[in-house]
Amino acid sequence: DAKTTQPTSMDCAEGRAANLPCNHSTISGNEYVYWYRQIHSQGPQYIIHGLKNNETNEMASLIITEDRKSSTLILPHATLRDTAVYYCIVRAPLFGNEKLTFGTGTRLTIIP
Amino acid sequence: DAGITQSPRHKVTETGTPVTLRCHQTENHRYMYWYRQDPGHGLRLIHYSYGVKDTDKGEVSDGYSVSRSKTEDFLLTLESATSSQTSVYFCAITSGGGAANVLTFGAGSRLTVL
């Protein structure tokens, strides 16, 4: 799986958009970008994933650059409940064997 | 989390004692995983299962064994617990099948080995 690089920590004001970057310059053509988050002491939670087109769901938007070497997770109107560690993961969708490798992620703190 | 439960949620034990953590799912998913989480290391895969009686090692499997005799249960055993196995353990499940195949995690089991 391709390696990812994320900032260790970020702050964002409540109500503003939180933009979390991820660098994955060695991504392969069949690898997807996945985002999970982990709120303090809970299990990680899936947020969104994409291949090359921008994606949006009820939780967030995912913007992937045209060369696919980096992406940004956007939480459009951050709330205090979005304070968490966010993990960016890149891997090919092998059927079934989901041996995801989680790095240390970005610790996002939403400031009141 | 809906469909996946871990037990016990908290356990304190002494070095050298055996410990078994249980992961139970009601989703009938084929794939189950055990991760551990430690400060500065993120989540690391211990073992995973791709079906009843079918298991394989992850990146940090030493000192751990697993068993899966039923689809719904995946057990993680520490035969002789050591202090280095003090950690938070997460079970995860997935149904398999393509890019939309994502992990659902349990709430975690916090293990302290004294």
Side-chain angles (χ1 to χ4, degrees):
Chain A
D1 298 336
K3 181 178 173 58
T4 62
T5 303
Q6 299 177 251
T8 303
S9 64
M10 294 180 62
D11 294 338
C12 178
E14 187 178 17
R16 305 295 293 269
N19 297 280
L20 292 89
C22 180
N23 182 285
H24 33 80
S25 58
T26 60
I27 192 170
S28 299
N30 65 339
E31 289 183 317
Y32 284 68
V33 180
Y34 294 84
W35 283 85
Y36 287 76
R37 74 178 182 184
Q38 186 173 23
I39 296 170
H40 179 63
S41 77
Q42 298 181 18
Q45 174 192 27
Y46 164 77
I47 302 172
I48 198 168
H49 75 279
L51 180 62
K52 55 183 178 181
N53 298 318
N54 298 338
E55 302 287 345
T56 296
N57 63 19
E58 65 278 5
M59 292 182 67
S61 294
L62 174 60
I63 308 298
I64 302 173
T65 58
E66 191 168 344
D67 63 8
R68 304 209 321 121
K69 294 184 176 182
S70 65
S71 60
T72 301
L73 177 74
I74 301 172
L75 308 177
H77 304 287
T79 72
L80 298 178
R81 290 177 296 178
D82 292 322
T83 292
V85 177
Y86 288 77
Y87 298 97
C88 170
I89 300 158
V90 172
R91 70 156 296 130
L94 297 179
F95 280 78
N97 195 348
E98 200 74 6
K99 289 195 292 182
L100 285 180
T101 300
F102 287 75
T104 52
T106 296
R107 182 173 298 277
L108 175 67
T109 302
I110 306 302
I111 310 298
Chain B
D1 291 67
I4 179 170
T5 56
Q6 295 183 227
S7 60
R9 293 291 314 282
H10 301 272
K11 185 172 182 65
V12 179
T13 191
E14 294 187 349
T15 297
T17 60
V19 176
T20 295
L21 305 180
R22 179 180 183 237
C23 178
H24 178 78
Q25 60 143 332
T26 58
E27 306 296 320
N28 200 35
H29 283 350
R30 178 178 175 187
Y31 301 93
M32 301 185 74
Y33 309 81
W34 276 107
Y35 287 86
R36 63 177 288 176
Q37 186 171 39
D38 307 288
H41 288 279
L43 282 152
R44 293 181 292 175
L45 181 65
I46 306 171
H47 280 281
Y48 64 97
S49 170
Y50 45 96
V52 173
K53 291 185 170 43
D54 292 324
T55 66
D56 204 350
K57 297 178 179 180
E59 60 179 311
V60 290
S61 59
D62 287 348
Y64 302 94
S65 62
V66 290
S67 65
R68 191 160 177 209
S69 58
K70 300 184 290 185
T71 297
E72 57 266 36
D73 289 324
F74 191 33
L75 304 181
L76 177 70
T77 297
L78 292 65
E79 299 291 347
S80 178
T82 67
S83 59
S84 64
Q85 294 176 310
T86 292
S87 188
V88 181
Y89 293 86
F90 288 100
C91 176
I93 61 175
T94 187
S95 60
N101 177 23
V102 297
L103 289 167
T104 299
F105 284 84
S109 296
R110 183 175 296 275
L111 175 67
T112 301
V113 183
L114 302 176

